[in-house]
Amino acid sequence: DTEVTQTPKHLVMGMTNKKSLKCEQHMGHRAMYWYKQKAKKPPELMFVYSYEKLSINESVPSRFSPECPNSSLLNLHLHALQPEDSALYLCASSQDRLPGSYEQYFGPGTRLTVT
Amino acid sequence: ELKVEQNPLFLSMQEGKNYTIYCNYSTTSDRLYWYRQDPGKSLESLFVLLSNGAVKQEGRLMASLDTKARLSTLHITAAVHDLSATYFCAVGGNRDDKIIFGKGTRLHILP
């Protein structure tokens, strides 16, 4: 099983709502990532968890709050978002940065629209 | 600071032709990725290159890495329409978990 799943596939939320995005993998991977991708742009790294600990936060606004409850699950909690936060949110996982299995698998993404 | 430059950003080519996409990066890295993305879809991993001189091939696509020049290439041989997509290179930070993407090359292959 080389699958990363993400739910929901689509999400429309108002600026005062609180919602969560979910990502799951059962490949035993120890690193999990959140990316944001705007149309016709490359993915931008938001957060990285390594062994369930936050290892990278790319100066993401606090209205985005990641959580890694266990090694298979990654959440992204959303609160008081702005319309410019509308984008495709991609989750990815990889075995580990060291010693050498670097391949990164992406989920199908959640398309978020903030109204 | 790690920066990744990809060129060309747009490429329109005829079926049957060969072409190369270039990816330059600014600092030492221990891994380089190539991805394909179809419109409205997620990213599909094509290659991971880890060492100087690494070359990997899958079908009509071949990727190589020159760590001394900080350059990777993705070569397309005898292009076919099905290869139309956006191709991204991405570079891993040296000794950290960061992965930075190039801007992508939108490849359009004319039948």
Side-chain angles (χ1 to χ4, degrees):
Chain A
D1 181 10
T2 57
E3 191 179 22
V4 176
T5 59
Q6 287 186 247
T7 53
K9 286 188 169 57
H10 301 275
L11 178 63
V12 179
M13 60 185 290
M15 289 188 284
T16 58
N17 292 159
K18 285 185 181 180
K19 295 286 185 184
S20 296
L21 310 184
K22 180 180 172 182
C23 173
E24 201 161 3
Q25 57 87 14
H26 295 286
M27 295 177 276
H29 287 176
R30 292 292 179 249
M32 295 185 77
Y33 308 76
W34 279 118
Y35 290 88
K36 172 183 176 180
Q37 187 179 26
K38 303 281 273 184
K40 299 191 191 315
K41 298 291 186 184
E44 295 174 38
L45 184 64
M46 298 174 73
F47 303 104
V48 182
Y49 275 82
S50 180
Y51 291 92
E52 301 168 44
K53 292 185 179 177
L54 185 65
S55 64
I56 291 181
N57 176 342
E58 288 289 87
S59 302
V60 179
S62 59
R63 57 186 184 267
F64 295 91
S65 175
E67 179 195 18
C68 189
N70 59 59
S71 60
S72 299
L73 193 54
L74 185 66
N75 297 320
L76 185 64
H77 303 298
L78 314 172
H79 174 56
L81 294 193
Q82 303 297 311
E84 59 264 28
D85 296 321
S86 298
L88 180 66
Y89 287 83
L90 293 163
C91 173
S93 71
S94 63
Q95 174 62 25
D96 199 348
R97 188 172 53 78
L98 296 171
S101 178
Y102 295 97
E103 186 155 5
Q104 192 180 45
Y105 296 86
F106 278 82
T110 293
R111 191 160 299 281
L112 174 68
T113 303
V114 181
T115 61
Chain B
E1 181 188 354
L2 175 59
K3 293 185 178 179
V4 181
E5 286 190 8
Q6 200 174 327
N7 66 84
L9 298 183
F10 301 95
L11 181 55
S12 182
M13 54 193 290
Q14 296 283 339
E15 277 192 325
K17 299 290 187 183
N18 304 332
Y19 211 81
T20 300
I21 300 170
Y22 298 87
C23 177
N24 287 93
Y25 54 99
S26 60
T27 65
T28 303
S29 170
D30 56 6
R31 60 207 188 281
L32 187 137
Y33 304 83
W34 284 98
Y35 294 95
R36 169 181 172 148
Q37 188 174 37
D38 292 298
K41 303 290 187 183
S42 185
L43 278 80
E44 174 190 352
S45 177
L46 296 175
F47 304 108
V48 183
L49 303 170
L50 303 177
S51 59
N52 189 42
V55 177
K56 291 193 175 181
Q57 183 163 5
E58 181 74 33
R60 301 175 187 274
L61 301 177
M62 184 174 71
S64 65
L65 178 62
D66 180 343
T67 58
K68 293 179 181 176
R70 296 180 186 157
L71 170 68
S72 180
T73 61
L74 180 67
H75 187 74
I76 302 153
T77 301
V80 293
H81 181 65
D82 287 351
L83 290 179
S84 297
T86 297
Y87 292 84
F88 290 101
C89 70
V91 179
N94 195 30
R95 304 183 190 282
D96 69 26
D97 295 313
K98 191 173 291 191
I99 298 176
I100 304 299
F101 279 73
K103 290 184 177 181
T105 297
R106 288 177 61 192
L107 178 62
H108 181 51
I109 298 172
L110 304 169

